[in-house]
């Protein structure tokens, strides 16, 4: 039998003191059946203080359960840290209730809806991939990005939705207040599993703000996290000029680009109101 890979595997079922103080047992006495999977788990023959002992070994399934529990606890801790700073993903009252069921599919929105649904379905298997939604203002890009956030949060995903102009204002304000928790904005954004940057390109980024946004996007890229961007700027003719070449190059590498050809929901609602009046 091969030896365990680490002392953790040996002591998974007993503490160090229990091993040292327990009576010496034979191999036969130390053999056990895993209560989880039913496999026979044989002890490991080792030496403690010059004395040969048979040491208890964790079953592979127990090691996996232990490691899964650690990862789950780390994920819960990360979500709590992010929610403490950003709240419930920072969606705001308007988008907190956004779901695929409440999405009103209009002509021209088929492609963006399909990509959003597939993104959610494959989220756990396609780490590091992203989406860029672009098109005319008011045609549902932000709504659908928020829908994705609401769909993945119940899966235990740490997701953050940020309107880019507001995010930049928050970061710049935090830079002037060294005692504020907001100083951790960038670090926690980089820690999230999914970041939505809503309305990128709404303002032309100056050099300082370009560096800030690039740092966030590049960290998401390096750590194979997921990114969704929405913009009203045309990807081919406007966006690069408004956000800078470094950000633009990284974004088009990371994201599947999807044009939302739907017309404005806002105008649709306005027209309906006018008819009623």
């Amino acid at each position: 039998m091969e030896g365990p890979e680490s002392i953790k595997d040996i002591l998974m079922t007993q503490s160090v003191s229990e091993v040292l103080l327990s009576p010496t047992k034979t191999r036969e006495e130390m053999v056990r059946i895993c209560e989880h999977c039913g496999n026979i788990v044989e002890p490991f023959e080792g030496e403690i203080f010059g004395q040969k002992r048979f040491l208890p070994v964790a079953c592979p399934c127990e090691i996996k359960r232990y490691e899964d529990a650690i990862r789950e606890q780390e994920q819960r801790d990360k979500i709590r840290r992010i929610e403490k700073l950003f709240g419930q993903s920072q969606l705001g009252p308007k988008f907190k209730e956004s779901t695929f069921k409440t999405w009103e599919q209009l002509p021209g929105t088929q492609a963006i809806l399909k990509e959003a649904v597939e993104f959610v379905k494959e989220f756990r298997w396609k780490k590091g991939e992203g989406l860029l939604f672009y098109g005319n203002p008011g045609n549902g890009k932000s709504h659908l990005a928020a829908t994705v956030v609401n769909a993945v949060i119940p899966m235990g995903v740490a997701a953050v939705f940020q309107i880019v102009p507001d995010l930049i204002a928050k970061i710049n304000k935090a830079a002037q207040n060294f005692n504020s928790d907001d100083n951790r904005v960038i670090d926690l954004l980089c820690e999230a599993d999914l970041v939505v940057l809503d309305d990128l390109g709404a303002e032309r980024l100056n050099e300082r703000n370009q560096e800030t946004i690039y740092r966030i996007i590049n960290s998401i890229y390096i750590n194979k996290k997921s990114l969704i961007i929405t913009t009203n700027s045309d990807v081919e003719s406007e966006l690069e000029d408004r956000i800078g070449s470094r950000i633009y190059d990284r974004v088009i590498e990371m994201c599947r680009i999807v044009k939302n050809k739907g017309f404005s929901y806002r105008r649709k609602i306005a027209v309906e109101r006018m008819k009623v009046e």
Side-chain angles (χ1 to χ4, degrees), residues 239-274:
L239 188 58
E240 182 175 6
D241 179 60
R242 299 189 70 79
I243 65 176
S245 296
R246 279 208 308 164
I247 297 174
Y248 181 81
D249 287 347
R250 183 62 82 216
V251 165
I252 61 174
E253 178 184 359
M254 294 173 66
C255 298
R256 182 186 294 275
I257 299 172
V258 188
K259 184 174 183 179
N260 186 12
K261 299 178 181 179
F263 55 82
S264 173
Y265 284 89
R266 296 171 195 156
R267 295 188 183 186
K268 175 178 179 290
I269 293 170
V271 169
E272 290 174 350
R273 284 176 180 169
M274 290 172 64

mmCIF file of all heavy atoms in Angstrom, residues 239-274:
data_model
loop_
_atom_site.group_PDB
_atom_site.id
_atom_site.type_symbol
_atom_site.label_atom_id
_atom_site.label_comp_id
_atom_site.label_asym_id
_atom_site.label_seq_id
_atom_site.Cartn_x
_atom_site.Cartn_y
_atom_site.Cartn_z
ATOM 1 N N LEU A 239 -15.844 52.413 -28.814
ATOM 2 C CA LEU A 239 -15.479 51.961 -27.471
ATOM 3 C C LEU A 239 -13.995 52.139 -27.175
ATOM 4 O O LEU A 239 -13.628 52.597 -26.091
ATOM 5 C CB LEU A 239 -15.879 50.495 -27.288
ATOM 6 C CG LEU A 239 -15.730 49.938 -25.868
ATOM 7 C CD1 LEU A 239 -16.558 50.738 -24.880
ATOM 8 C CD2 LEU A 239 -16.114 48.472 -25.824
ATOM 9 N N GLU A 240 -13.139 51.765 -28.101
ATOM 10 C CA GLU A 240 -11.691 51.874 -27.845
ATOM 11 C C GLU A 240 -11.294 53.300 -27.526
ATOM 12 O O GLU A 240 -10.473 53.553 -26.624
ATOM 13 C CB GLU A 240 -10.909 51.367 -29.051
ATOM 14 C CG GLU A 240 -9.402 51.397 -28.830
ATOM 15 C CD GLU A 240 -8.625 50.775 -29.973
ATOM 16 O OE1 GLU A 240 -9.253 50.416 -31.001
ATOM 17 O OE2 GLU A 240 -7.394 50.650 -29.855
ATOM 18 N N ASP A 241 -11.864 54.262 -28.239
ATOM 19 C CA ASP A 241 -11.529 55.667 -28.005
ATOM 20 C C ASP A 241 -11.964 56.118 -26.621
ATOM 21 O O ASP A 241 -11.306 56.951 -25.995
ATOM 22 C CB ASP A 241 -12.204 56.533 -29.074
ATOM 23 C CG ASP A 241 -11.926 58.016 -28.870
ATOM 24 O OD1 ASP A 241 -10.742 58.405 -28.893
ATOM 25 O OD2 ASP A 241 -12.894 58.783 -28.665
ATOM 26 N N ARG A 242 -13.054 55.558 -26.102
ATOM 27 C CA ARG A 242 -13.595 56.007 -24.831
ATOM 28 C C ARG A 242 -12.938 55.335 -23.625
ATOM 29 O O ARG A 242 -12.895 55.918 -22.539
ATOM 30 C CB ARG A 242 -15.108 55.777 -24.793
ATOM 31 C CG ARG A 242 -15.857 56.533 -25.879
ATOM 32 C CD ARG A 242 -17.348 56.480 -25.689
ATOM 33 N NE ARG A 242 -17.795 57.266 -24.542
ATOM 34 C CZ ARG A 242 -17.948 58.583 -24.534
ATOM 35 N NH1 ARG A 242 -17.688 59.293 -25.631
ATOM 36 N NH2 ARG A 242 -18.361 59.200 -23.450
ATOM 37 N N ILE A 243 -12.408 54.129 -23.802
ATOM 38 C CA ILE A 243 -11.858 53.419 -22.638
ATOM 39 C C ILE A 243 -10.351 53.190 -22.735
ATOM 40 O O ILE A 243 -9.738 52.771 -21.751
ATOM 41 C CB ILE A 243 -12.564 52.067 -22.437
ATOM 42 C CG1 ILE A 243 -12.283 51.107 -23.601
ATOM 43 C CG2 ILE A 243 -14.063 52.269 -22.244
ATOM 44 C CD1 ILE A 243 -12.886 49.723 -23.410
ATOM 45 N N GLY A 244 -9.746 53.433 -23.882
ATOM 46 C CA GLY A 244 -8.310 53.235 -24.035
ATOM 47 C C GLY A 244 -7.979 51.884 -24.651
ATOM 48 O O GLY A 244 -8.711 50.903 -24.480
ATOM 49 N N SER A 245 -6.865 51.815 -25.326
ATOM 50 C CA SER A 245 -6.495 50.621 -26.100
ATOM 51 C C SER A 245 -6.189 49.412 -25.218
ATOM 52 O O SER A 245 -6.535 48.282 -25.565
ATOM 53 C CB SER A 245 -5.280 50.923 -26.979
ATOM 54 O OG SER A 245 -5.591 51.908 -27.938
ATOM 55 N N ARG A 246 -5.538 49.638 -24.075
ATOM 56 C CA ARG A 246 -5.181 48.488 -23.227
ATOM 57 C C ARG A 246 -6.418 47.785 -22.709
ATOM 58 O O ARG A 246 -6.505 46.553 -22.734
ATOM 59 C CB ARG A 246 -4.327 48.942 -22.036
ATOM 60 C CG ARG A 246 -2.874 49.144 -22.365
ATOM 61 C CD ARG A 246 -1.991 48.915 -21.161
ATOM 62 N NE ARG A 246 -2.414 49.681 -20.000
ATOM 63 C CZ ARG A 246 -2.012 49.450 -18.742
ATOM 64 N NH1 ARG A 246 -1.192 48.442 -18.503
ATOM 65 N NH2 ARG A 246 -2.420 50.193 -17.749
ATOM 66 N N ILE A 247 -7.392 48.545 -22.227
ATOM 67 C CA ILE A 247 -8.632 47.951 -21.729
ATOM 68 C C ILE A 247 -9.389 47.294 -22.877
ATOM 69 O O ILE A 247 -9.881 46.168 -22.750
ATOM 70 C CB ILE A 247 -9.514 49.018 -21.057
ATOM 71 C CG1 ILE A 247 -8.803 49.599 -19.835
ATOM 72 C CG2 ILE A 247 -10.866 48.434 -20.654
ATOM 73 C CD1 ILE A 247 -9.541 50.766 -19.192
ATOM 74 N N TYR A 248 -9.462 47.984 -23.990
ATOM 75 C CA TYR A 248 -10.202 47.467 -25.150
ATOM 76 C C TYR A 248 -9.631 46.127 -25.613
ATOM 77 O O TYR A 248 -10.383 45.168 -25.845
ATOM 78 C CB TYR A 248 -10.143 48.490 -26.277
ATOM 79 C CG TYR A 248 -10.886 48.082 -27.531
ATOM 80 C CD1 TYR A 248 -12.264 48.249 -27.630
ATOM 81 C CD2 TYR A 248 -10.204 47.537 -28.623
ATOM 82 C CE1 TYR A 248 -12.945 47.878 -28.784
ATOM 83 C CE2 TYR A 248 -10.874 47.168 -29.775
ATOM 84 C CZ TYR A 248 -12.251 47.343 -29.844
ATOM 85 O OH TYR A 248 -12.918 46.964 -30.986
ATOM 86 N N ASP A 249 -8.312 46.045 -25.736
ATOM 87 C CA ASP A 249 -7.687 44.800 -26.192
ATOM 88 C C ASP A 249 -7.963 43.649 -25.235
ATOM 89 O O ASP A 249 -8.228 42.519 -25.655
ATOM 90 C CB ASP A 249 -6.171 44.987 -26.340
ATOM 91 C CG ASP A 249 -5.803 45.837 -27.538
ATOM 92 O OD1 ASP A 249 -6.683 46.069 -28.394
ATOM 93 O OD2 ASP A 249 -4.640 46.292 -27.623
ATOM 94 N N ARG A 250 -7.887 43.922 -23.933
ATOM 95 C CA ARG A 250 -8.132 42.874 -22.942
ATOM 96 C C ARG A 250 -9.603 42.440 -22.978
ATOM 97 O O ARG A 250 -9.908 41.245 -22.919
ATOM 98 C CB ARG A 250 -7.783 43.386 -21.540
ATOM 99 C CG ARG A 250 -7.930 42.343 -20.452
ATOM 100 C CD ARG A 250 -7.007 41.171 -20.642
ATOM 101 N NE ARG A 250 -5.674 41.418 -20.164
ATOM 102 C CZ ARG A 250 -4.574 40.964 -20.746
ATOM 103 N NH1 ARG A 250 -4.662 40.258 -21.855
ATOM 104 N NH2 ARG A 250 -3.379 41.206 -20.248
ATOM 105 N N VAL A 251 -10.508 43.387 -23.122
ATOM 106 C CA VAL A 251 -11.943 43.083 -23.123
ATOM 107 C C VAL A 251 -12.326 42.221 -24.323
ATOM 108 O O VAL A 251 -13.051 41.223 -24.175
ATOM 109 C CB VAL A 251 -12.774 44.384 -23.106
ATOM 110 C CG1 VAL A 251 -14.227 44.113 -23.483
ATOM 111 C CG2 VAL A 251 -12.706 45.040 -21.730
ATOM 112 N N ILE A 252 -11.864 42.580 -25.504
ATOM 113 C CA ILE A 252 -12.270 41.802 -26.683
ATOM 114 C C ILE A 252 -11.619 40.424 -26.691
ATOM 115 O O ILE A 252 -12.099 39.506 -27.359
ATOM 116 C CB ILE A 252 -11.970 42.551 -28.000
ATOM 117 C CG1 ILE A 252 -10.473 42.823 -28.158
ATOM 118 C CG2 ILE A 252 -12.771 43.842 -28.070
ATOM 119 C CD1 ILE A 252 -10.115 43.426 -29.507
ATOM 120 N N GLU A 253 -10.523 40.261 -25.932
ATOM 121 C CA GLU A 253 -9.928 38.939 -25.786
ATOM 122 C C GLU A 253 -10.746 38.077 -24.826
ATOM 123 O O GLU A 253 -10.942 36.882 -25.054
ATOM 124 C CB GLU A 253 -8.493 39.055 -25.267
ATOM 125 C CG GLU A 253 -7.822 37.701 -25.041
ATOM 126 C CD GLU A 253 -6.439 37.827 -24.428
ATOM 127 O OE1 GLU A 253 -5.976 38.960 -24.181
ATOM 128 O OE2 GLU A 253 -5.814 36.783 -24.188
ATOM 129 N N MET A 254 -11.257 38.682 -23.765
ATOM 130 C CA MET A 254 -11.953 37.943 -22.712
ATOM 131 C C MET A 254 -13.404 37.627 -23.049
ATOM 132 O O MET A 254 -13.930 36.608 -22.604
ATOM 133 C CB MET A 254 -11.930 38.755 -21.410
ATOM 134 C CG MET A 254 -10.577 38.958 -20.800
ATOM 135 S SD MET A 254 -10.658 40.093 -19.389
ATOM 136 C CE MET A 254 -11.633 39.146 -18.226
ATOM 137 N N CYS A 255 -14.050 38.530 -23.789
ATOM 138 C CA CYS A 255 -15.512 38.487 -23.877
ATOM 139 C C CYS A 255 -16.032 38.082 -25.251
ATOM 140 O O CYS A 255 -15.476 38.491 -26.274
ATOM 141 C CB CYS A 255 -16.094 39.855 -23.530
ATOM 142 S SG CYS A 255 -15.735 40.419 -21.854
ATOM 143 N N ARG A 256 -17.104 37.335 -25.219
ATOM 144 C CA ARG A 256 -17.881 37.103 -26.435
ATOM 145 C C ARG A 256 -18.722 38.364 -26.671
ATOM 146 O O ARG A 256 -19.479 38.782 -25.808
ATOM 147 C CB ARG A 256 -18.784 35.896 -26.257
ATOM 148 C CG ARG A 256 -19.596 35.548 -27.509
ATOM 149 C CD ARG A 256 -20.582 34.443 -27.213
ATOM 150 N NE ARG A 256 -19.903 33.202 -26.896
ATOM 151 C CZ ARG A 256 -19.475 32.327 -27.815
ATOM 152 N NH1 ARG A 256 -19.677 32.569 -29.094
ATOM 153 N NH2 ARG A 256 -18.886 31.223 -27.448
ATOM 154 N N ILE A 257 -18.590 38.936 -27.847
ATOM 155 C CA ILE A 257 -19.245 40.207 -28.140
ATOM 156 C C ILE A 257 -20.614 39.953 -28.769
ATOM 157 O O ILE A 257 -20.732 39.242 -29.769
ATOM 158 C CB ILE A 257 -18.373 41.070 -29.076
ATOM 159 C CG1 ILE A 257 -17.031 41.366 -28.377
ATOM 160 C CG2 ILE A 257 -19.085 42.365 -29.443
ATOM 161 C CD1 ILE A 257 -16.019 42.040 -29.269
ATOM 162 N N VAL A 258 -21.648 40.529 -28.152
ATOM 163 C CA VAL A 258 -23.021 40.298 -28.596
ATOM 164 C C VAL A 258 -23.730 41.639 -28.746
ATOM 165 O O VAL A 258 -23.818 42.421 -27.794
ATOM 166 C CB VAL A 258 -23.809 39.432 -27.591
ATOM 167 C CG1 VAL A 258 -25.165 39.059 -28.172
ATOM 168 C CG2 VAL A 258 -23.023 38.191 -27.201
ATOM 169 N N LYS A 259 -24.233 41.888 -29.939
ATOM 170 C CA LYS A 259 -24.981 43.126 -30.164
ATOM 171 C C LYS A 259 -26.452 42.888 -29.867
ATOM 172 O O LYS A 259 -27.061 41.930 -30.359
ATOM 173 C CB LYS A 259 -24.827 43.598 -31.610
ATOM 174 C CG LYS A 259 -25.525 44.937 -31.867
ATOM 175 C CD LYS A 259 -25.244 45.462 -33.258
ATOM 176 C CE LYS A 259 -25.890 46.838 -33.439
ATOM 177 N NZ LYS A 259 -25.620 47.406 -34.773
ATOM 178 N N ASN A 260 -27.015 43.764 -29.041
ATOM 179 C CA ASN A 260 -28.444 43.714 -28.780
ATOM 180 C C ASN A 260 -29.127 44.650 -29.777
ATOM 181 O O ASN A 260 -28.969 45.867 -29.706
ATOM 182 C CB ASN A 260 -28.741 44.147 -27.343
ATOM 183 C CG ASN A 260 -30.204 43.959 -26.989
ATOM 184 O OD1 ASN A 260 -30.950 43.325 -27.715
ATOM 185 N ND2 ASN A 260 -30.614 44.522 -25.859
ATOM 186 N N LYS A 261 -29.869 44.085 -30.680
ATOM 187 C CA LYS A 261 -30.501 44.862 -31.740
ATOM 188 C C LYS A 261 -31.907 45.314 -31.374
ATOM 189 O O LYS A 261 -32.616 45.904 -32.191
ATOM 190 C CB LYS A 261 -30.541 44.039 -33.033
ATOM 191 C CG LYS A 261 -29.154 43.650 -33.542
ATOM 192 C CD LYS A 261 -29.258 42.804 -34.796
ATOM 193 C CE LYS A 261 -27.862 42.394 -35.283
ATOM 194 N NZ LYS A 261 -27.936 41.552 -36.501
ATOM 195 N N GLY A 262 -32.319 45.013 -30.150
ATOM 196 C CA GLY A 262 -33.659 45.413 -29.725
ATOM 197 C C GLY A 262 -33.796 46.919 -29.624
ATOM 198 O O GLY A 262 -32.822 47.638 -29.385
ATOM 199 N N PHE A 263 -35.018 47.408 -29.781
ATOM 200 C CA PHE A 263 -35.253 48.837 -29.639
ATOM 201 C C PHE A 263 -35.443 49.181 -28.162
ATOM 202 O O PHE A 263 -35.525 48.298 -27.301
ATOM 203 C CB PHE A 263 -36.463 49.285 -30.469
ATOM 204 C CG PHE A 263 -37.728 48.523 -30.180
ATOM 205 C CD1 PHE A 263 -38.530 48.846 -29.095
ATOM 206 C CD2 PHE A 263 -38.120 47.467 -31.007
ATOM 207 C CE1 PHE A 263 -39.685 48.151 -28.820
ATOM 208 C CE2 PHE A 263 -39.295 46.770 -30.737
ATOM 209 C CZ PHE A 263 -40.076 47.106 -29.644
ATOM 210 N N SER A 264 -35.515 50.448 -27.867
ATOM 211 C CA SER A 264 -35.527 50.922 -26.488
ATOM 212 C C SER A 264 -36.824 50.560 -25.760
ATOM 213 O O SER A 264 -37.920 50.906 -26.209
ATOM 214 C CB SER A 264 -35.334 52.441 -26.454
ATOM 215 O OG SER A 264 -35.500 52.933 -25.145
ATOM 216 N N TYR A 265 -36.679 49.878 -24.622
ATOM 217 C CA TYR A 265 -37.829 49.610 -23.764
ATOM 218 C C TYR A 265 -38.396 50.919 -23.221
ATOM 219 O O TYR A 265 -39.605 51.065 -23.046
ATOM 220 C CB TYR A 265 -37.408 48.736 -22.577
ATOM 221 C CG TYR A 265 -37.196 47.289 -22.905
ATOM 222 C CD1 TYR A 265 -35.960 46.828 -23.323
ATOM 223 C CD2 TYR A 265 -38.236 46.379 -22.792
ATOM 224 C CE1 TYR A 265 -35.759 45.488 -23.618
ATOM 225 C CE2 TYR A 265 -38.043 45.037 -23.085
ATOM 226 C CZ TYR A 265 -36.796 44.601 -23.499
ATOM 227 O OH TYR A 265 -36.604 43.277 -23.790
ATOM 228 N N ARG A 266 -37.517 51.850 -22.934
ATOM 229 C CA ARG A 266 -37.961 53.121 -22.356
ATOM 230 C C ARG A 266 -38.895 53.852 -23.323
ATOM 231 O O ARG A 266 -39.918 54.400 -22.926
ATOM 232 C CB ARG A 266 -36.748 53.989 -22.027
ATOM 233 C CG ARG A 266 -35.840 53.382 -20.959
ATOM 234 C CD ARG A 266 -34.556 54.154 -20.833
ATOM 235 N NE ARG A 266 -33.556 53.400 -20.082
ATOM 236 C CZ ARG A 266 -32.252 53.591 -20.200
ATOM 237 N NH1 ARG A 266 -31.784 54.510 -21.026
ATOM 238 N NH2 ARG A 266 -31.405 52.880 -19.492
ATOM 239 N N ARG A 267 -38.514 53.853 -24.593
ATOM 240 C CA ARG A 267 -39.364 54.520 -25.579
ATOM 241 C C ARG A 267 -40.682 53.766 -25.756
ATOM 242 O O ARG A 267 -41.738 54.373 -25.956
ATOM 243 C CB ARG A 267 -38.624 54.626 -26.909
ATOM 244 C CG ARG A 267 -37.399 55.531 -26.834
ATOM 245 C CD ARG A 267 -36.792 55.787 -28.189
ATOM 246 N NE ARG A 267 -35.590 56.601 -28.077
ATOM 247 C CZ ARG A 267 -34.904 57.077 -29.122
ATOM 248 N NH1 ARG A 267 -35.316 56.808 -30.358
ATOM 249 N NH2 ARG A 267 -33.825 57.804 -28.930
ATOM 250 N N LYS A 268 -40.594 52.420 -25.669
ATOM 251 C CA LYS A 268 -41.805 51.612 -25.787
ATOM 252 C C LYS A 268 -42.778 51.964 -24.669
ATOM 253 O O LYS A 268 -43.983 52.155 -24.895
ATOM 254 C CB LYS A 268 -41.445 50.129 -25.719
ATOM 255 C CG LYS A 268 -42.636 49.165 -25.713
ATOM 256 C CD LYS A 268 -42.141 47.733 -25.686
ATOM 257 C CE LYS A 268 -43.303 46.741 -25.650
ATOM 258 N NZ LYS A 268 -44.002 46.771 -24.363
ATOM 259 N N ILE A 269 -42.261 52.068 -23.445
ATOM 260 C CA ILE A 269 -43.102 52.405 -22.301
ATOM 261 C C ILE A 269 -43.660 53.816 -22.444
ATOM 262 O O ILE A 269 -44.834 54.077 -22.148
ATOM 263 C CB ILE A 269 -42.287 52.276 -20.992
ATOM 264 C CG1 ILE A 269 -41.923 50.806 -20.752
ATOM 265 C CG2 ILE A 269 -43.061 52.839 -19.813
ATOM 266 C CD1 ILE A 269 -40.940 50.594 -19.628
ATOM 267 N N ALA A 270 -42.805 54.742 -22.918
ATOM 268 C CA ALA A 270 -43.256 56.123 -23.093
ATOM 269 C C ALA A 270 -44.393 56.209 -24.103
ATOM 270 O O ALA A 270 -45.384 56.930 -23.900
ATOM 271 C CB ALA A 270 -42.085 56.999 -23.532
ATOM 272 N N VAL A 271 -44.264 55.460 -25.192
ATOM 273 C CA VAL A 271 -45.301 55.458 -26.225
ATOM 274 C C VAL A 271 -46.598 54.887 -25.671
ATOM 275 O O VAL A 271 -47.695 55.418 -25.920
ATOM 276 C CB VAL A 271 -44.836 54.654 -27.464
ATOM 277 C CG1 VAL A 271 -46.006 54.423 -28.414
ATOM 278 C CG2 VAL A 271 -43.713 55.385 -28.176
ATOM 279 N N GLU A 272 -46.497 53.803 -24.891
ATOM 280 C CA GLU A 272 -47.687 53.190 -24.301
ATOM 281 C C GLU A 272 -48.382 54.145 -23.336
ATOM 282 O O GLU A 272 -49.614 54.212 -23.273
ATOM 283 C CB GLU A 272 -47.309 51.891 -23.585
ATOM 284 C CG GLU A 272 -46.903 50.779 -24.559
ATOM 285 C CD GLU A 272 -46.381 49.546 -23.851
ATOM 286 O OE1 GLU A 272 -46.155 49.635 -22.617
ATOM 287 O OE2 GLU A 272 -46.169 48.522 -24.515
ATOM 288 N N ARG A 273 -47.592 54.916 -22.590
ATOM 289 C CA ARG A 273 -48.172 55.876 -21.671
ATOM 290 C C ARG A 273 -48.909 56.992 -22.425
ATOM 291 O O ARG A 273 -49.980 57.445 -22.012
ATOM 292 C CB ARG A 273 -47.068 56.499 -20.800
ATOM 293 C CG ARG A 273 -46.579 55.567 -19.696
ATOM 294 C CD ARG A 273 -45.434 56.212 -18.955
ATOM 295 N NE ARG A 273 -44.945 55.345 -17.886
ATOM 296 C CZ ARG A 273 -43.821 55.554 -17.214
ATOM 297 N NH1 ARG A 273 -43.047 56.598 -17.525
ATOM 298 N NH2 ARG A 273 -43.459 54.747 -16.261
ATOM 299 N N MET A 274 -48.313 57.399 -23.520
ATOM 300 C CA MET A 274 -48.922 58.447 -24.328
ATOM 301 C C MET A 274 -50.261 57.984 -24.898
ATOM 302 O O MET A 274 -51.230 58.738 -24.973
ATOM 303 C CB MET A 274 -47.983 58.868 -25.460
ATOM 304 C CG MET A 274 -46.761 59.618 -24.988
ATOM 305 S SD MET A 274 -45.552 59.903 -26.316
ATOM 306 C CE MET A 274 -46.505 60.972 -27.409
#
